[in-house]
């Protein structure tokens, strides 16, 4: 069955983690993707074997030497019939190749050109290779991830690359959607720094009124989000973010007489006293150690408290809901053989596309290139390019967001960043996440807010009018809840058959676990990421880059994919984006062979310093240095700096040998790095063209938000709150030419636009006053 992107053609000139993942998403949903490799193949094929097996599945592979006229001519032949070009070249490389945006756009004016760099387009770090660990060290992830020692901690989840991949897809799909209207190609730019920020924005933020919004620390409010060791030495993840869940958990633990709970369930807005904090931090963990995990799971699920088992890698493949969601596919990889892989996360009603072909061999489709594309070149080129205005990219798009917490609402926030008009629909109790200012602001920036009691018959007309107004309707309620308040798919489709409908449930719309609660970072622990970021032999830990932003990013991809499909089909479409599916995509680089062998898992060392001797942190004479040298050419540049032989040493001649004898190589490198200071090493390594960075050991939040470069390119916005004080937060994380950036607006106050929107829907001032008086609106 064809996917929603069938008929679109993508040319992929990227390498590494972010670019191939981005184009892999497009291939998974039906686009025809041509993977362009240099002669002999991508230099990271061996190092990233499992990643490439997944993210390049279903693509067509060709070899082109873009340093030659013949190679560039071959690329032009591909681009003549393409909709999108994706690159990951560092700034300056495209100009040397004659493949910069200006020259490509002149030849192919309808082509969307997406560039994913390590550090962005400001150029200050243009010469530093943008590997995952290097960027995370620069941004400050190394100071944020919890570990078993003092920072820096190597992050075991490559969420900067995951975020950059999603952002590139979001920007590209939005540009293609706009192109359907004005025929104009555009330049889409994002980076691994932006990718990291798309996750860190949930936790980060900077404001002049710091005292008004202190950081939320464990035990400071009535929220328990933690992994607990049980009597059988297994771990259980627990989250009390749902209305009333804190009280239900405390009662189940037998502590109800010592911890007060809110009668209306809004515990997250109430701080704990010092004694209550001591109970949460000390006594609650002790109670969990009294019974095995299976017993606690049964008890907490019966009490309607979000709880999951922390699984080890591979166990998730056999879970009943995972199989019910068809989240495991079997693919024959030409290098690794038959593999079970994580399936595409997003489901489109009637348009699901199941990848069956593995990643192509080097040059597998070289001979097919001219005949496949020649027939369409002339027609596509002749279409030309219509003029375009410079309004925000998604100006005119109307979104009704009935979601709550973070994962669902973050999808529409990403659309608001690009100019969509998003109305956040809340109950009269309000979004529970409002109790934690920082993540709420991140999830709902740029929106308008209306608060309605949809059980009041006098507001059914408002609800239905909003449905008819919207181009997109989305929510992440548990199954059945939307139907009870008139926001179910059938009702929405009946009133507005052109609308795209995104449902983002925790586990799925149906199946054995469909009615269970879902909260981040529990789902990360469920799919095995807790053990991935903890390092070998260690107990599980919560990842910094958790599934809430990931689910939101995937949801935005789903919406835009459906909208792009709608430009050709003129019909609405049902889209489902379960948090379980999206979280499994975070660990998609982990695959399983038929004999049960897991590949790509548990690569982080016990001390959480890295995933191999040439991708890790090393102690220096006065601190730490992060060094990444994965390809042979990168290793050759490293060798003279350290006065060490690696590639010509039989112990370390190949990537597999460098992993097998990794501790010996790491010991040799450790001796070298201990001889000089971090800054001295950084200067010498950069001069040799080696990827290196001094990892942050303290939070970089404030400095990052106050960086004038980040503010100048729009990555960070500085705006004023209702009291006139400055707030700085993540803003435009993907930048697109030919479109004015939408002005950044702080998340709305509770019910801030209720009167305005009801007036737009035809309600009189007297009726609005009456509704407020009886508590039906806020």
């Amino acid at each position: 069955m064809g996917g929603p992107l069938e008929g679109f053609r993508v040319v992929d000139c990227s390498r590494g983690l972010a670019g191939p993942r981005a184009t892999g998403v497009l291939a998974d949903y039906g686009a025809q993707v041509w993977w362009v490799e240099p002669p002999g193949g991508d230099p990271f094929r061996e190092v990233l074997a499992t990643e490439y097996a997944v993210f390049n599945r279903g693509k067509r592979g060709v070899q082109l030497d873009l340093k030659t006229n013949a190679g560039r001519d071959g690329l032009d032949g591909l681009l003549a019939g393409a909709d999108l070009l994706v690159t990951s070249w560092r700034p300056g490389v495209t100009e040397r190749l004659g493949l910069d945006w200006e020259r490509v756009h002149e030849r192919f004016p309808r082509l969307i050109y997406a560039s994913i760099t390590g550090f962005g387009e400001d150029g200050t770090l243009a010469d530093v290779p943008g590997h995952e660990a290097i960027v995370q060290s620069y941004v400050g992830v190394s100071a944020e991830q919890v570990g078993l020692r003092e920072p820096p901690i190597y992050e075991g989840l490559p969420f900067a690359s995951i975020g950059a991949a999603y952002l590139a897809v979001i920007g590209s799909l939005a540009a293609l959607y706009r192109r359907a209207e004005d025929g104009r190609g555009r330049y889409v730019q994002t980076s691994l720094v932006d990718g990291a920020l798309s996750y860190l924005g949930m936790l980060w933020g900077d404001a002049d009124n710091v005292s008004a919004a202190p950081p939320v620390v464990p035990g400071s409010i009535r929220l328990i989000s933690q992994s607990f060791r049980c009597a059988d030495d297994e771990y259980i993840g627990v989250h009390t973010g749902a209305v009333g869940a804190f009280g239900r958990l405390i009662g189940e633990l037998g502590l109800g007489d010592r911890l007060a709970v809110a009668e209306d369930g809004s515990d997250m807005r109430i701080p704990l006293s010092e004694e209550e904090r001591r109970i949460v931090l000390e006594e609650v963990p002790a109670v969990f150690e009294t019974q095995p995990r299976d017993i606690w799971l049964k008890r907490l699920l019966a009490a309607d408290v979000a709880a999951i088992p922390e699984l080890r890698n591979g166990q998730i493949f056999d879970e009943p809901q995972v199989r019910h969601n068809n989240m495991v596919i079997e693919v024959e990889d030409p290098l690794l053989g038959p593999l079970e892989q994580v399936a595409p996360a997003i489901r489109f009603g009637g348009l699901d596309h199941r990848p069956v072909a593995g990643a192509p061999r080097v040059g597998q489709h070289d001979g097919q290139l001219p005949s496949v594309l020649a027939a369409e070149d002339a027609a596509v080129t002749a279409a030309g390019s219509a003029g375009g205005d410079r309004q925000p990219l998604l100006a005119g798009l109307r979104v009704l967001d009935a979601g709550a917490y973070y994962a669902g609402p973050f999808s529409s926030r990403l659309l608001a960043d690009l100019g969509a008009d998003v109305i956040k629909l809340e109950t009269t109790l309000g979004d529970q996440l409002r109790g934690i200012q920082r993540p709420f602001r991140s999830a709902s920036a740029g929106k308008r807010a209306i608060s309605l009691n949809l059980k009041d018959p006098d507001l059914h007309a408002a609800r239905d009018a909003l449905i008819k107004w919207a181009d997109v309707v989305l929510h992440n309620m548990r199954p059945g809840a939307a139907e009870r308040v008139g926001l179910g798919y059938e009702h929405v489709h009946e009133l507005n058959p052109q609308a795209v409908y995104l449902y983002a449930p925790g586990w799925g719309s149906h199946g054995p676990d469909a009615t269970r609660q879902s909260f981040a970072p529990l789902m990360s622990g469920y799919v095995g990421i807790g053990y991935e970021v903890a390092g070998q032999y260690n107990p599980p830990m919560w990842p910094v880059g958790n599934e809430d932003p990931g689910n939101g990013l995937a949801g935005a991809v789903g919406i835009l994919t459906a909208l792009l499909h709608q430009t050709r089909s003129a019909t609405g479409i049902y889209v489902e984006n379960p948090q379980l599916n999206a979280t499994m995509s975070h660990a998609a680089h982990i695959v399983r062979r038929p004999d049960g062998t897991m590949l790509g898992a548990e690569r982080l060392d016990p001390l959480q310093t890295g995933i191999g001797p040439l991708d890790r942190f090393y102690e220096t004479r006065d601190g730490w240095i992060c060094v990444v040298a994965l390809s042979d050419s990168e290793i050759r540049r490293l060798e003279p700096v350290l006065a060490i032989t690696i590639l010509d040493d039989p112990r370390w001649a190949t990537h597999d040998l460098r992993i097998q004898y990794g501790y010996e190589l790491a010991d040799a490198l450790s001796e070298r790095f201990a001889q000089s200071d971090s800054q001295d090493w950084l200067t010498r390594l950069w001069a040799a063209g080696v990827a290196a960075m001094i990892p942050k050991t303290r939070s970089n939040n404030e400095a990052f938000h106050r960086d004038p470069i980040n503010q100048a390119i729009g990555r960070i916005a500085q705006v004023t709150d209702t009291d006139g004080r400055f707030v700085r937060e993540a803003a435009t994380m993907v930048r697109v030419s030919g479109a004015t950036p939408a002005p950044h607006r702080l998340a709305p106050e509770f019910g801030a636009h209720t009167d305005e929107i009801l007036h737009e829907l035809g309600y009189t001032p007297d009726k609005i006053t009456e509704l407020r008086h009886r508590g039906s609106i806020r």
Side-chain angles (χ1 to χ4, degrees):
M1 184 179 295
L5 296 180
E6 186 175 22
F8 287 95
R9 185 167 299 152
V10 179
V11 178
D12 180 6
C13 290
S14 69
R15 63 181 61 169
L17 292 176
R21 179 187 277 266
T23 55
V25 168
L26 301 174
D28 277 349
Y29 301 127
Q32 183 187 95
V33 179
W34 288 82
W35 179 21
V36 177
E37 300 181 83
D42 187 310
F44 298 121
R45 266 185 174 265
E46 183 182 12
V47 178
L48 302 176
T50 60
E51 289 89 345
Y52 275 23
V54 176
F55 304 134
N56 291 313
R57 65 191 180 200
K59 298 180 184 178
R60 304 184 184 192
V62 295
Q63 299 177 92
L64 293 174
D65 186 352
L66 300 181
K67 297 178 181 179
T68 68
N69 289 333
R72 289 189 290 270
D73 288 344
L75 182 64
D76 276 2
L78 273 173
L79 296 180
D83 299 285
L84 171 65
L85 167 65
V86 179
T87 73
S88 61
W89 292 309
R90 278 181 278 164
V93 173
T94 57
E95 287 79 2
R96 293 195 295 271
L97 293 175
L99 295 171
D100 52 283
W101 156 246
E102 288 77 11
R103 280 182 276 190
V104 171
H105 181 58
E106 184 178 356
R107 298 196 298 276
F108 309 105
R110 288 176 53 84
L111 181 72
I112 306 300
Y113 186 135
S115 170
I116 307 172
T117 58
F119 297 93
E121 54 271 26
D122 63 86
T124 56
L125 294 172
D127 294 329
V128 181
H131 289 293
E132 176 75 23
I134 300 299
V135 171
Q136 291 204 9
S137 296
Y138 166 77
V139 173
V141 177
S142 51
E144 301 286 343
Q145 178 60 49
V146 296
L148 297 175
R149 56 174 179 79
E150 292 298 311
I153 301 296
Y154 187 105
E155 171 66 50
L157 178 69
F159 67 83
S161 294
I162 297 171
Y166 276 133
L167 290 171
V169 173
I170 289 168
S172 298
L173 292 174
L176 286 166
Y177 177 69
R178 181 70 175 276
R179 190 189 70 172
E181 175 185 317
D182 65 15
R184 185 179 182 183
R186 286 178 168 82
Y187 188 33
V188 177
Q189 298 180 84
T190 192
S191 68
L192 269 67
V193 172
D194 294 292
L197 184 61
S198 69
Y199 284 81
L200 290 170
M202 180 181 181
L203 309 171
W204 277 12
D206 178 53
D208 290 348
N209 59 331
V210 174
S211 60
V216 176
V217 296
S220 62
I221 61 174
R222 285 167 167 75
L223 170 68
I224 293 178
S225 174
Q226 191 173 339
S227 179
F228 296 99
R229 188 172 71 89
C230 301
D232 54 358
D233 209 28
E234 296 289 352
Y235 287 80
I236 185 173
V238 179
H239 198 294
T240 64
V243 176
F246 180 82
R248 294 192 293 273
L249 174 64
I250 294 306
E252 196 64 33
L253 297 178
L255 299 171
D257 59 334
R258 303 175 60 196
L259 279 170
V261 298
E263 291 185 5
D264 64 359
S266 58
D267 297 280
M268 283 169 56
R269 304 184 186 187
I270 306 172
L272 291 168
S273 68
E274 281 302 311
E275 174 60 17
E276 289 172 331
R277 185 169 186 266
R278 186 195 66 78
I279 294 172
V280 168
L281 295 180
E282 297 177 12
E283 297 190 30
V284 168
V287 174
F288 274 103
E289 291 188 355
T290 63
Q291 293 190 37
R293 182 174 69 187
D294 285 349
I295 298 297
W296 282 120
L297 281 171
K298 291 177 182 178
R299 290 180 58 179
L300 296 187
L301 292 180
D304 197 25
V305 174
I308 55 92
E310 295 260 8
L311 300 181
R312 290 170 174 80
N313 286 295
Q315 291 180 311
I316 189 64
F317 279 42
D318 300 315
E319 289 294 289
Q321 186 68 40
V322 170
R323 291 292 177 172
H324 180 87
N325 289 1
N326 292 315
M327 276 304 295
V328 181
I329 58 172
E330 296 180 4
V331 173
E332 183 71 32
D333 185 79
L335 299 179
L336 301 177
L339 299 173
E340 286 184 311
Q341 300 179 356
V342 174
I346 310 167
R347 302 299 154 83
F348 301 88
L351 292 168
D352 284 338
H353 175 258
R354 303 287 288 179
V356 293
R361 298 183 301 276
V362 176
Q364 181 175 338
H365 301 95
D366 282 354
Q368 300 180 29
L369 183 61
S371 61
V372 169
L373 299 178
E376 298 185 22
D377 285 351
V380 174
T381 303
S385 174
D389 55 50
R390 296 187 60 83
Q391 63 182 325
L393 198 62
L394 295 181
L397 183 68
R398 298 172 297 191
V399 181
L400 177 61
D401 177 1
Y405 301 99
Y406 196 95
F410 190 52
S411 294
S412 64
R413 177 262 158 97
L414 291 162
L415 303 183
D417 285 347
L418 296 173
D421 182 7
V422 180
I423 293 178
K424 179 175 177 60
L425 173 60
E426 299 175 76
T427 68
T428 50
L429 182 62
D431 189 335
Q432 183 86 328
L433 192 62
R434 285 186 177 273
I436 312 179
Q437 185 186 72
R438 178 59 258 145
F440 178 78
R441 278 182 166 174
S442 177
S444 292
K447 303 178 186 180
R448 296 193 285 163
I450 184 171
S451 170
L452 307 177
N453 176 10
L454 294 182
K455 296 178 182 179
D456 186 335
D458 280 358
L459 287 169
H460 290 178
R463 175 200 65 201
D464 291 351
L466 286 170
I467 291 172
K468 294 175 182 177
W469 166 86
D471 300 302
V472 178
V473 176
L474 70 98
H475 73 89
N476 58 341
M477 306 177 204
R478 280 203 271 181
E483 285 73 15
R484 290 193 292 272
V485 294
L487 290 170
Y489 173 69
E490 297 298 332
H491 183 66
V492 170
H493 184 68
E494 179 182 357
L495 291 177
N496 187 354
Q498 303 301 314
V500 168
Y501 186 94
L502 175 74
Y503 181 32
W507 297 79
S509 57
H510 46 78
D513 294 322
T515 59
R516 289 176 64 175
Q517 296 179 42
S518 173
F519 286 98
L522 266 63
M523 201 66 84
S524 287
Y526 186 57
V527 306
I529 292 173
Y531 283 102
E532 281 294 294
V533 301
Q536 298 163 354
Y537 316 120
N538 294 325
M541 302 174 189
W542 292 148
V544 172
N546 74 49
E547 60 270 30
D548 268 357
N551 198 192
L553 286 158
V557 169
I559 291 169
L560 289 166
T561 298
L563 287 170
L564 188 57
H565 174 76
Q566 189 184 58
T567 64
R568 300 178 298 173
S569 67
T571 60
I573 186 172
Y574 173 85
V575 185
E576 186 167 319
N577 176 43
Q579 190 171 42
L580 171 60
N581 296 11
T583 313
M584 288 186 68
S585 295
H586 278 178
H589 60 283
I590 299 173
V591 299
R592 185 166 70 179
R593 282 181 163 149
D595 63 0
T597 301
M598 302 303 301
L599 302 177
E602 298 182 4
R603 294 184 290 193
L604 181 61
D605 68 354
L607 292 178
Q608 297 171 289
T609 61
I611 58 174
L614 297 177
D615 188 350
R616 60 164 283 177
F617 299 154
Y618 284 97
E619 286 194 81
T620 65
R621 190 164 56 191
D622 68 340
W624 293 83
I625 190 79
C626 177
V627 178
V628 179
L630 300 179
S631 68
D632 286 0
S633 61
E634 291 175 324
I635 296 171
R636 287 296 187 198
R637 293 194 292 271
L638 174 67
E639 289 176 321
V641 180
L642 296 178
I644 189 172
T645 298
I646 299 175
L647 293 178
D648 294 329
D649 189 311
R651 294 174 296 173
W652 307 318
T654 68
H655 172 70
D656 288 344
L657 288 172
R658 290 190 288 275
I659 297 300
Q660 182 178 351
Y661 298 103
Y663 285 106
E664 291 90 333
L665 179 54
D667 287 345
L669 297 180
S670 295
E671 291 181 8
R672 303 293 201 281
F673 283 116
Q675 296 170 6
S676 295
D677 294 345
S678 297
Q679 187 58 53
D680 178 53
W681 281 121
L682 188 67
T683 301
R684 293 162 62 184
L685 291 166
W686 279 6
V690 176
M693 192 66 62
I694 298 174
K696 303 288 192 301
T697 56
R698 298 175 61 183
S699 177
N700 192 40
N701 176 26
E702 180 176 313
F704 189 91
H705 283 80
R706 300 191 182 208
D707 185 332
I709 293 177
N710 285 336
Q711 293 187 16
I713 66 174
R715 178 182 285 147
I716 296 297
Q718 178 173 274
V719 294
T720 55
D721 64 14
T722 53
D723 296 319
R725 292 173 292 203
F726 282 120
V727 175
R728 288 161 288 273
E729 61 186 14
T732 306
M733 294 170 282
V734 55
R735 292 158 287 281
V736 185
S737 70
T740 301
H744 187 81
R745 293 178 288 125
L746 289 176
E749 297 295 325
F750 187 26
H753 304 93
T754 298
D755 290 20
E756 169 190 313
I757 296 170
L758 286 177
H759 179 72
E760 291 174 7
L761 299 178
Y763 283 70
T764 65
D766 287 345
K767 187 62 177 179
I768 292 172
T769 300
E770 177 196 333
L771 289 166
R772 179 166 286 111
H773 180 72
R774 67 174 187 245
S776 291
I777 64 174
R778 288 288 299 270

